Amino acid sequence: MPRTDDARRAVHSRRLFLQAGSLAGLGLNLPQLLAARSAETRSPAANSGRAKTCILLYMTGGPAQQETFDPKPEADPETRGQFAPIDTNVPGVRICELLPRLARQAHRCAIIRSTWHESDVHGVGVHYNLTGLKHAPRASGEPQLDRRDPPCIGGVIRQLRGDRNGLPAAVHLPVRIGDQNNVQWGGQHAGFLGPNYDPLMLIDENWLPGEPMPGSMLPKGVDERRAAVREELLARFGASYAVRSPQEEAHDRMLRQAFDILHSSAAFRAFRIDDERPETRARYGDNKFGRSCLVARRLVEAGVGLVTVPWMHLFSPVATTKTPNFDTHFKHFDLMRDHLCPPADQAFAALLDDLAERGMLDETLVAWTGEFGRTPKINGNAGRDHWGKVYSTVLAGGGVRGGIVHGASDRNGGAPAESPVHVTDFVATIYHALGYGPTTRVVDVAGRPHFVVQGTPVRELF
């Protein structure tokens, strides 16, 4: 039976009491909770950026700060790289010669050279950079996906903003963030918010971004009428089960999502690039990363709140050439010069130019990060190893002031020497640009509130 108004109020009061009690241990009492809720609905985070959307470029493996945004030509011989710094279009700001296109975009970028965290483990770094928070404890090994974990930024955005215009509020493409040993590290879904808020993940390795998505078109010989009959039959069959297992619920959720895609075919045109000019497609690069960045621009243009674009393993558009990620323990300099930096430089620069030309950059935050940086010392395999003690991140657009460098690393690029920015603060800065702050609250599957913005934003960037 439907609950009466009195019953609804009683349930609400009881839930609020329980929430307030659970927060008391954190130093937040009921009046503070109510004030925080009121502040959330009245205004965004104070002095926040202008971003309405965000594109997160995730460089899987952890790119070397020395060969990207923090060159060290005066470093000690055992740490000095093979590449020279070049001038950018901002006087006094120099980056690695492997990024010539981004050197011409420095006026739009805020480079943070002092980002850090306390781990050299891939899975920990992935989770940190995608959520801004520590993962839930594990018995052993690197953290894989787990519903006990805090949510990724995309999961938070999807709960707070909701899906719009027939599209999910958060999308992740074209591949999972993982490697040959770990299919998918933790931090890539909505965690304890539940699967309803997971970003839509497009991770078919045979899919070429910009082409029709796998499963987004009706099969040959099946028209809309036949598809509607099939959908109705599935719904009747599913309704015959009063109790469903978690696996059945997950399967039903995937079915609903698939039908949503079929019913919103016009909205899902945003995933295709066949109507883009050939010059635009060439500008980004005809590879999975470049094409994904172009799709990301189309998605935020269509109203998606956050698009995560991880570096891909398969570089060739016909998926015949294996390309490593930025985990360059071996032949680091060859890989950075020949395979990794050129397409990353091209696509990142093209994205910034394209957004600016369309009048979208002021309201679109573009972020660059990976799980960590690389060691100052060059190992015996001409490689650099994992290094969470300092690395470079970049923000552009969305109200961020361009043409600046925040923080600095030491002579050899081994530790922050000025204005250290913990990764929690880096992610808090992303949230800040999007209008969220320490009072922003999300609710887990059990109805418990969580404040997911735990760091301090770098306000000097705005």
Side-chain angles (χ1 to χ4, degrees):
M1 294 178 59
R3 286 173 171 162
T4 64
D5 289 343
D6 287 341
R8 288 193 187 96
R9 282 193 291 270
V11 170
H12 175 75
S13 299
R14 178 175 175 273
R15 181 178 295 122
L16 186 62
F17 173 79
L18 292 173
Q19 291 174 355
S22 68
L23 293 170
L26 301 176
L28 190 67
N29 57 28
L30 182 57
Q32 289 172 312
L33 173 62
L34 294 174
R37 284 184 176 180
S38 178
E40 287 170 31
T41 58
R42 286 199 311 267
S43 62
N47 303 318
S48 60
R50 300 187 293 268
K52 293 181 179 178
T53 58
C54 177
I55 297 172
L56 176 59
L57 306 179
Y58 193 88
M59 303 295 102
T60 305
Q65 62 276 18
Q66 305 91 333
E67 280 72 51
T68 52
F69 296 101
D70 193 11
K72 296 294 179 180
E74 306 300 326
D76 297 337
E78 64 271 19
T79 67
R80 193 181 311 147
Q82 297 180 4
F83 308 114
I86 56 172
D87 292 331
T88 68
N89 62 358
V90 176
V93 177
R94 309 183 84 195
I95 62 176
C96 181
E97 64 176 304
L98 299 179
L99 304 175
R101 291 179 173 87
L102 285 169
R104 298 191 289 272
Q105 298 283 347
H107 65 295
R108 293 179 172 138
C109 296
I111 299 171
I112 305 173
R113 289 178 170 166
S114 55
T115 312
W116 72 281
H117 59 77
E118 56 276 5
S119 178
D120 298 333
V121 176
H122 280 295
V124 176
V126 170
H127 191 280
Y128 248 151
N129 281 275
L130 294 181
T131 70
L133 300 168
K134 288 184 176 181
H135 59 81
R138 304 291 203 269
S140 62
E142 294 197 34
Q144 308 295 302
L145 286 177
D146 195 305
R147 287 294 172 194
R148 297 173 298 167
D149 285 335
C152 65
I153 303 170
V156 172
I157 296 299
R158 197 164 187 188
Q159 183 175 107
L160 292 175
R161 296 191 177 184
D163 299 345
R164 301 176 182 177
N165 305 328
L167 290 167
V171 175
H172 179 122
L173 80 158
V175 291
R176 301 174 178 92
I177 300 173
D179 65 8
Q180 66 275 14
N181 300 314
N182 298 274
V183 174
Q184 196 168 4
W185 285 306
Q188 298 180 64
H189 64 15
F192 54 56
L193 301 186
N196 287 339
Y197 301 109
D198 288 347
L200 173 64
M201 299 192 77
L202 302 177
I203 51 178
D204 186 335
E205 291 194 350
N206 295 316
W207 174 58
L208 181 59
E211 296 295 322
M213 293 186 305
S216 66
M217 309 279 288
L218 289 173
K220 187 176 180 179
V222 178
D223 59 17
E224 292 185 5
R225 187 188 64 79
R226 287 188 67 190
V229 170
R230 291 181 178 185
E231 184 176 357
E232 183 181 358
L233 286 172
L234 278 171
R236 288 181 180 177
F237 183 75
S240 64
Y241 290 88
V243 179
R244 301 170 185 268
S245 69
Q247 293 79 10
E248 289 168 330
E249 290 284 356
H251 182 261
D252 285 350
R253 188 170 58 256
M254 292 300 103
L255 277 177
R256 289 194 300 272
Q257 188 174 77
F259 282 119
D260 286 345
I261 292 173
L262 292 174
H263 295 324
S264 305
S265 56
F268 275 78
R269 283 286 309 171
F271 286 93
R272 299 181 60 174
I273 62 173
D274 51 311
D275 57 352
E276 294 284 342
R277 294 182 305 162
E279 312 90 82
T280 301
R281 297 199 298 268
R283 187 185 204 178
Y284 279 85
D286 190 20
N287 56 71
K288 284 199 172 184
F289 186 70
R291 293 171 69 103
S292 294
C293 287
L294 177 52
V295 172
R297 187 224 80 204
R298 291 173 60 87
L299 289 174
V300 297
E301 197 171 24
V304 174
L306 185 134
V307 184
T308 303
V309 180
W311 182 259
M312 70 300 170
H313 289 285
L314 299 173
F315 172 66
S316 166
V318 293
T320 59
T321 303
K322 291 280 186 178
T323 297
N325 59 30
F326 285 84
D327 194 24
T328 49
H329 295 283
F330 304 89
K331 298 182 178 180
H332 166 80
F333 299 101
D334 292 346
L335 290 171
M336 292 292 279
R337 180 191 63 235
D338 299 335
H339 296 287
L340 299 170
C341 284
D345 178 53
Q346 179 178 358
F348 191 175
L351 178 61
L352 295 180
D353 262 338
D354 200 5
L355 289 169
E357 290 168 5
R358 292 169 178 270
M360 297 172 58
L361 188 58
D362 282 348
E363 294 184 341
T364 304
L365 179 71
V366 182
W368 156 294
T369 191
E371 47 262 48
F372 37 52
R374 313 303 295 183
T375 53
K377 187 175 180 180
I378 301 166
N379 65 30
N381 296 306
R384 295 190 189 273
D385 300 318
H386 303 174
W387 197 252
K389 296 176 179 62
V390 71
Y391 57 108
S392 294
T393 54
V394 180
L395 296 173
V400 170
R401 290 191 299 125
I404 60 175
V405 173
H406 181 86
S409 64
D410 62 18
R411 168 187 170 89
N412 291 315
E418 179 184 323
S419 302
V421 175
H422 192 269
V423 65
T424 302
D425 302 327
F426 172 69
V427 174
T429 306
I430 293 175
Y431 277 123
H432 183 77
L434 291 164
Y436 303 116
T439 63
T440 300
R441 181 179 65 92
V442 293
V443 180
D444 67 20
V445 291
R448 295 169 298 199
H450 297 265
F451 298 94
V452 291
V453 185
Q454 298 291 325
T456 301
V458 184
R459 297 179 186 275
E460 296 88 338
L461 303 186
F462 296 88

